[in-house]
Every structure is written in structure tokens, then in C-alpha cells.
Amino acid sequence: MTLGSGAADLGGRSCVALDLDGVVYRGAAAVPGAADAVGLLRLRGVRVVFTTNNSGSTRDQVAAKLTGLGIACAAEDVLTSGYLAARRVHDLLGDGGQVLRIGTAGLSAELVTARLHPTDDPQRAEAVLVGLDPTFSYAALASALTALRRGLPLVGCNRDADYPVSPTDVLPGCGPLLAAVETAAQRPADHVVGKPGADMLVLAAQTSGTTLDDWFVVGDSPAADLGMARAAGVPGVLVAHPEAAHADLAGVVRAWAA
Ligand SMILES: [Mg+2]
């Protein structure tokens, strides 16, 4: 499982966790050849699950975007850090739990889908959840601190420092927001569910009746994607990166299928 280890060590593995940003699409556009590559994998019986640390969109929204890009997809084929975080908070609180959340409308929608209640009231909250929030404010930080001083669990979507908005530009990710909350509360998050942790891959295996031995990871981030592969003990293949042996997803699939 080295950088760009290619398809040589994937033999017998019939399920792939495919990163989205930079691998399947960039911004609103599909990466050239990605739709055909996913189609070829599926044609050969490979189970494809799309994974992303992006907590801003719901699984339904991501599935609709992929379908619009020519990759037929259902919500069940998508795992986002927001979806995993909502599940984790539900594990902690159960139905109807009140969640003070820093995040987008998409993250709130995932909480509702998980039968939780987003709240802005730090006195009513039973957990604090931090995802990416472009409107993050001092007031939100103060509310989170008030809630956490009551001893509530703190759940983070991921620790990504930034995310790409163009080939040359990045914006701050969820990581700096989570770090601000942790610094204010003077304690680390109790759970961080996204890559490079193994949670996404473990859930993918559980919900498809497979084991981690059936899976491999394809992504463009050595830290996040290969990190998740390492944490789960499965092979990881790097694409769309200067050190990648295969420049793109289509190249990986060609090598895998050869
Ligand atoms: Mg990526």
C-alpha cells in the first residue's frame, strides 16, 4: 500500500471506496473519463461507494449530482462525513436528540434524516456537532462553548485543513473550525468521523454485507484517502496527484482490469 501502488495488489477485491472531489468531479464538472471508469467497474461486478469528507451536502444531493454527471447513483451509494456524523450523534443520543450544530443546511438535513433535532439553544442541546460552515462566527463559537461547558459530547465531521475550489485556490475546511471549538472548550473532540479515520470504510463494509478484505480505496489525498486505507488496513491507490502512478481513475481501472 504505497503511493500510487496501482492495481497490482487489488486482486480479488470486489468493492471500492471512491473519493469524489478531484477523482470523480472537480467543482461542477466530471473528471474526464470518470463516468466511463465507474461504468466499467460496475460492469465487472465491482461495488462502488462514493466517499467524501464534504459535510455540506446530503447524500441525496451528492447522488443527484453524480447522476447528473452521467454516473447513476442512489443515496445508499454515497457516504459523507455529515451523514456519518449524524449517525454517530444518533448512536449517542437516540431519537429526538437535540444537536447544537455548526454547519450548513445540508448537515441539518442529515440530522433530521437521522431523527435528530438541530437547535441553536446551547442550554437545550445534548451534543455539539461541527462541520464545514462558511458562515462560522464568534457567536456560533460562543454557543458551542456554552454547550460544551455543560459536559456535552463534541463530534467533528473531519479535520481537513482546507478544500480546493479551483486548481490553484483553496478555502478553509472543517478542521480549523473544529480546532477553534476545541481550543475554546480546552478539550479534544470525542469523535471525528471522516477520513483519515476508518469509520467510513467500516460502515461501507458493514452495510453491504462484506468485510474490509473485500475493499480498496481510490483517492487523490495522501493524508485523507490513503490515511483511511491505512487505518482500515486495506490497499489504497492515489490518483490525480504528482506522485500517483495512474494519472486518473480511468488509468487505475485499466490497470486493475488488465
Ligand atoms: Mg479528493
Side-chain angles (χ1 to χ4, degrees):
M1 189 181 28
T2 53
L3 285 190
S5 60
D9 55 354
L10 306 181
R13 292 183 182 258
S14 57
C15 306
V16 61
L18 209 55
D19 178 45
L20 284 172
D21 245 313
V23 176
V24 175
Y25 51 63
R26 281 193 197 91
V31 169
D36 288 345
V38 171
L40 184 57
L41 284 169
R42 286 172 163 171
L43 203 60
R44 291 182 174 247
V46 174
R47 166 97 172 109
V48 180
V49 168
F50 302 95
T51 63
T52 177
N53 264 1
N54 183 339
S55 63
S57 303
T58 65
R59 292 201 299 167
D60 284 315
Q61 289 168 332
V62 174
K65 176 175 177 174
L66 285 168
T67 300
L69 293 174
I71 300 171
C73 184
E76 291 69 33
D77 302 320
V78 178
L79 292 177
T80 71
S81 69
Y83 170 71
L84 260 83
R87 284 179 62 109
R88 181 63 53 86
V89 174
H90 186 270
D91 288 345
L92 297 172
L93 304 184
D95 284 1
Q98 305 266 333
V99 187
L100 187 91
R101 59 91 188 85
I102 290 168
T104 62
L107 186 60
S108 294
E110 287 293 11
L111 288 172
V112 171
T113 301
R115 301 188 299 280
L116 296 161
H117 291 306
T119 179
D120 294 323
D121 183 347
Q123 301 300 341
R124 293 188 64 191
E126 300 167 86
V128 175
L129 171 60
V130 180
L132 179 63
D133 187 348
T135 68
F136 183 68
S137 67
Y138 189 83
L141 182 58
S143 285
L145 175 57
T146 301
L148 290 170
R149 278 168 56 89
R150 295 175 44 231
L152 305 188
L154 172 59
V155 178
C157 287
N158 62 74
R159 294 192 185 278
D160 288 355
D162 56 35
Y163 68 97
V165 288
S166 80
T168 52
D169 292 311
V170 297
L171 285 174
C174 179
L177 311 191
L178 181 57
V181 172
E182 290 174 315
T183 303
Q186 300 182 59
R187 63 179 167 96
D190 301 287
H191 307 268
V192 181
V193 297
K195 308 172 195 180
D199 294 9
M200 227 175 253
L201 208 48
V202 169
L203 181 62
Q206 276 174 359
T207 54
S208 59
T210 58
T211 71
L212 288 173
D213 288 341
D214 296 314
W215 287 80
F216 64 103
V217 171
V218 177
D220 67 338
S221 166
D225 297 309
L226 294 189
M228 176 172 72
R230 208 157 30 239
V234 310
V237 182
L238 194 66
V239 299
H241 184 279
E243 294 176 56
H246 305 287
D248 56 20
L249 179 59
V252 172
V253 173
R254 276 195 302 274
W256 174 85

